[in-house]
Amino acid sequence: MTKIGLIASLPEIDNKPDSVFVMHERSEKLIPFHTHTKGQLSYVEGGLAYITTQNKTYVVPARHYFWIPQGLIHELRVGVFATALRSLYFYSTNDDANEFYGKLGIYPASELLIQMINYTERWDELHIGIGDRNFDFLVALKNMLPDLNKRSLPIMLPKTEHELMQKIMNYLESHISEKLVIADVSGHFAMSERSLSRLFQSQLRISFLQYVKSLRMITAIEMIVKTQKPIADIAFEVGYASVASFSDTFYAFTSSRPSDLRRR
């Protein structure tokens, strides 16, 4: 059987609304903005994946999974060679039973969930529906999701078309190794601290400190996955004077230590 790939499979996902469509993809590609009437569970086996919605970009590290609710317009980019993206597109008939199914979320994957998702590879590019002897397995998998993780990881950066805000974001990215405080950044752009703080809240719905912390963590995740630099060097390059402080903040964002992500 010749694999047709995720982009070509997009029209097939919704063909049978009461089924689970299974898709295991091993490639590096961009899946442009699209939507489907099914909820999407995807496990990132290695490397990184990026999910972009209208106003946010989310980063999904290796050995994490994400849920995309039905009807959400999104772009998906699998950005590192040899990453495997294992996806299950679930019927949405009972999605109102739990708030988990109605929002986008990123979560660390347990060994149990990894094994269950890997098991579904035998049904790659197939619809598994009511009456199929394997359907109950997939129903159980979907039903367990709300109980696996109670908190979605905040691995996200907001987006904006605001010209001044974009300049400020670019400045922060290019000076990420430095001590970034609102007084210095506002002074650089000839603004008051209060004005800059209000700009972050109005355009990004996030505070200056929250944005800087998220930017540091996402940059660190990319460096851990894409380079062989020592963890200590990465900590300093993203603006942390202490490896311990960097590791603690990283754990709060990803539920794993930087060294754990490197091993994965």
Side-chain angles (χ1 to χ4, degrees), residues 10-261:
L10 291 178
E12 179 65 25
I13 292 171
D14 291 332
N15 275 351
K16 298 181 180 180
D18 296 327
S19 75
V20 181
F21 183 70
V22 182
M23 186 74 202
H24 291 254
E25 181 87 346
R26 290 183 179 274
S27 62
E28 179 180 0
K29 61 176 56 180
L30 172 70
I31 298 90
F33 279 100
H34 65 283
T35 186
H36 29 75
T37 61
K38 293 182 176 181
Q40 177 181 350
L41 168 67
S42 290
Y43 167 59
V44 180
E45 191 169 82
L48 294 170
Y50 300 84
I51 308 164
T52 299
T53 62
Q54 183 179 12
N55 56 3
K56 294 182 178 70
T57 293
Y58 300 81
V59 178
V60 190
R63 293 180 67 85
H64 285 67
Y65 68 95
F66 59 86
W67 175 266
I68 297 178
Q70 60 143 335
L72 179 67
I73 299 175
H74 62 282
E75 176 188 84
L76 183 60
R77 178 162 58 93
V78 182
V80 178
F81 179 75
T83 294
L85 187 68
R86 304 183 181 276
S87 300
L88 304 173
Y89 297 86
F90 283 94
Y91 53 87
S92 57
T93 49
N94 66 340
D95 281 5
D96 57 354
N98 193 291
E99 63 180 3
F100 171 91
Y101 303 114
K103 57 188 179 183
L104 189 153
I106 301 168
Y107 311 90
S110 66
E111 289 300 327
L112 172 61
L113 183 65
I114 293 171
Q115 293 303 318
M116 292 182 74
I117 293 176
N118 286 345
Y119 183 81
T120 68
E121 188 168 14
R122 62 198 65 201
W123 310 317
D124 194 17
E125 296 187 4
L126 294 177
H127 284 277
I128 308 297
I130 300 172
D132 190 297
R133 63 187 179 90
N134 300 307
F135 186 64
D136 287 345
F137 175 87
L138 294 169
V139 171
L141 196 163
K142 181 182 181 183
N143 289 343
M144 68 187 282
L145 292 177
D147 297 322
L148 289 178
N149 301 98
K150 299 301 184 182
R151 184 179 72 94
S152 175
L153 301 180
I155 313 176
M156 172 274 298
L157 280 179
K159 298 171 57 183
T160 181
E161 298 299 323
H162 191 277
E163 186 176 350
L164 176 58
M165 192 74 254
Q166 288 183 339
K167 291 180 179 178
I168 295 170
M169 293 161 70
N170 290 336
Y171 175 85
L172 295 175
E173 184 175 352
S174 62
H175 292 78
I176 195 169
S177 64
E178 303 172 13
K179 183 178 180 181
L180 295 169
V181 296
I182 193 168
D184 294 339
V185 176
S186 60
H188 178 82
F189 288 94
M191 303 172 64
S192 69
E193 294 180 38
R194 188 174 183 182
S195 295
L196 182 59
S197 179
R198 285 179 171 177
L199 187 62
F200 269 86
Q201 291 291 354
S202 65
Q203 294 299 320
L204 304 183
R205 303 293 189 270
I206 190 174
S207 72
F208 173 84
L209 290 177
Q210 288 173 318
Y211 182 85
V212 170
K213 184 183 291 186
S214 296
L215 178 63
R216 294 192 197 282
M217 289 299 101
I218 288 175
T219 304
I221 289 170
E222 293 176 334
M223 292 175 70
I224 290 170
V225 171
K226 296 179 179 180
T227 76
Q228 295 301 315
K229 292 182 178 180
I231 299 299
D233 290 357
I234 292 174
F236 298 140
E237 288 189 36
V238 298
Y240 283 83
S242 162
V243 176
S245 176
F246 166 70
S247 181
D248 289 344
T249 305
F250 192 92
Y251 185 84
F253 264 70
T254 67
S255 295
S256 65
R257 297 292 177 182
S259 56
D260 295 333
L261 181 61

